[in-house]
Amino acid sequence: MEFRSLGRSGMKVSRLCLGTMNFGVETNEKDAFRIMDMALEAGINFFDTANIYGWGENAGRTEEIIGRWFKQGGGRREKVILGTKVYGEMSDNTDGPNNEAGLSAYKIRRHLEGSLRRLQTDHIELYQMHHVDRGVSWEELWGAFELAAHQGKIGYVGSSNFAGWDLALAQSAARSRHLLGLVSEQHKYSLLCRLPELEVLPAAEHLGIGVIAWSPLDGGMLGGSALKSDRGTRTSHQKERIESLRPQLEAFSALCKELGESEANVALAWTLHNPALTAPIIGPRTTEQLDNALRAVEIKLDEATLKRLDEIFPGPGAEAPRAYAW
């Protein structure tokens, strides 16, 4: 496994990040334990979760599963760089309007305590804002995160789903308080979603923020199974999207066959070649899926292959404004 510093921090994380969104939903606890053990054995030290995973009335379930896995001991907690998130509503919170989706110093404090309790740990290495809340000032946000860091409850702060200018504002406010600021931005990025190349990726790279790609397989669209028989499990919207993308997906599958690699691993390797990317998030539902994904770190795409991928899945062409201006 390869490792890289997360943004401007000195903390080293694996080039693959284990996503846990399926734990307690698609993957039962026993299998989740096996996946996490296997990830550690493979050298993956970077685990990502969120307080709302489990969803709805079961929000928090995924953190609880991870907490029980930590409780087994064997150095599990000590070996993991753990990231969780705050923003959404939690079903176990009775704070009325203060539990609505968003961020505030009050909510951050309450929800952080809830995550620590469910995860059965006293600290979180990477505490991430799951979405931007432009109704809360950066003075309030950095004050809350600074206090949590001084208390030893969090190590670093990250963001998710931020625009490029949100990243710039966050870092400017942090600098005025002599803080490190954001070390990561978790953002949707894949061969089928290249808009972040316009603003977010160049902003993050310039500001020293490591980018973590979520949905690097675009919900499985790039995983190799989209063109196979759906056996009636896909929604009408998914079927329509597959048909609209069929020429691209067929060309992509043909290229991967030439390379002798799976579609999923080529898609993951493509994200890894971007210097702004720290790690893509993989969300295996089984140990077999995890084992298959490990190959992605070993794949090095040459210039000819990258050019063909650009032809199949065109990006914006350059950073803004060069992508659309002289």
Side-chain angles (χ1 to χ4, degrees):
M1 181 56 59
E2 298 177 4
F3 297 86
R4 175 178 288 188
S5 293
L6 184 59
R8 292 186 298 138
S9 80
M11 183 170 64
K12 303 285 187 180
V13 297
S14 51
R15 294 304 310 279
L16 292 178
C17 177
L18 181 68
T20 63
M21 188 172 67
N22 290 316
F23 295 176
V25 182
E26 299 288 339
T27 304
N28 64 40
E29 185 164 321
K30 180 180 178 181
D31 289 340
F33 280 20
R34 291 176 59 206
I35 289 171
M36 288 186 281
D37 282 335
M38 183 177 173
L40 276 188
E41 291 171 5
I44 297 176
N45 73 339
F46 193 15
F47 288 19
D48 177 76
T49 192
N51 60 353
I52 61 170
Y53 289 171
W55 310 104
E57 293 181 357
N58 296 316
R61 177 179 289 177
T62 302
E63 286 187 330
E64 290 173 347
I65 289 173
I66 297 171
R68 287 191 287 271
W69 179 73
F70 284 150
K71 194 68 174 178
Q72 294 179 104
R76 287 175 172 83
R77 178 65 188 96
E78 293 77 10
K79 295 174 183 176
V80 170
I81 302 298
L82 176 65
T84 193
K85 309 182 194 77
V86 59
Y87 179 85
E89 295 183 16
M90 293 297 293
S91 59
D92 63 349
N93 192 301
T94 57
D95 288 337
N98 284 302
N99 191 40
E100 294 175 356
L103 300 167
S104 68
Y106 174 86
K107 179 170 182 174
I108 288 169
R109 179 183 66 81
R110 292 290 300 272
H111 285 216
L112 175 57
E113 292 296 337
S115 286
L116 292 171
R117 182 178 63 256
R118 288 185 294 271
L119 290 162
Q120 300 195 49
T121 188
D122 62 359
H123 70 286
I124 293 164
E125 281 79 19
L126 179 64
Y127 201 45
Q128 302 162 104
M129 292 167 279
H130 212 158
H131 207 288
V132 65
D133 184 349
R134 298 192 180 111
V136 178
S137 71
W138 277 108
E139 287 76 15
E140 179 175 355
L141 286 167
W142 282 126
F145 292 131
E146 188 175 8
L147 175 60
H150 284 166
Q151 292 172 335
K153 295 178 180 178
I154 65 173
Y156 299 94
V157 179
S159 59
S160 182
N161 304 306
F162 274 36
W165 64 277
D166 293 316
L167 299 178
L169 289 174
Q171 297 304 71
S172 177
R175 192 177 302 115
S176 71
R177 300 173 70 98
H178 306 288
L179 300 176
L180 178 64
L182 300 173
V183 300
S184 65
E185 158 61 14
Q186 193 172 130
H187 212 86
K188 186 176 183 181
Y189 184 57
S190 73
L191 282 163
L192 283 169
C193 181
R194 297 185 59 174
L195 279 176
E197 294 172 11
L198 279 173
E199 302 274 2
V200 175
L201 298 191
E205 190 172 14
H206 176 75
L207 295 167
I209 299 170
V211 178
I212 307 162
W214 67 264
S215 199
L217 303 184
D218 203 287
M221 197 66 64
L222 297 166
S225 63
L227 297 176
K228 297 178 182 177
S229 174
D230 60 26
R231 282 169 271 188
T233 60
R234 295 195 179 105
T235 66
S236 58
H237 174 73
Q238 289 171 324
K239 292 176 183 178
E240 290 172 4
R241 186 161 185 249
I242 288 171
E243 288 308 309
S244 69
L245 294 172
R246 182 173 289 276
Q248 291 171 280
L249 296 177
E250 289 178 343
F252 179 53
S253 291
L255 173 58
C256 294
K257 188 174 182 179
E258 287 180 32
L259 297 173
E261 303 288 354
S262 71
E263 291 93 334
N265 283 344
V266 172
L268 291 171
W270 177 83
T271 65
L272 286 165
H273 97 276
N274 192 308
L277 262 288
T278 301
I281 296 175
I282 56 173
R285 295 188 299 275
T286 65
T287 54
E288 181 182 14
Q289 289 179 348
L290 172 58
D291 188 50
N292 290 337
L294 296 174
R295 166 67 182 153
V297 180
E298 302 171 356
I299 299 173
K300 306 301 178 186
L301 302 175
D302 59 28
E303 289 301 318
T305 301
L306 291 171
K307 182 178 179 181
R308 290 181 66 182
L309 288 170
D310 283 340
E311 292 169 352
I312 298 170
F313 302 106
E319 300 174 5
R322 289 190 294 275
Y324 47 78
W326 66 89

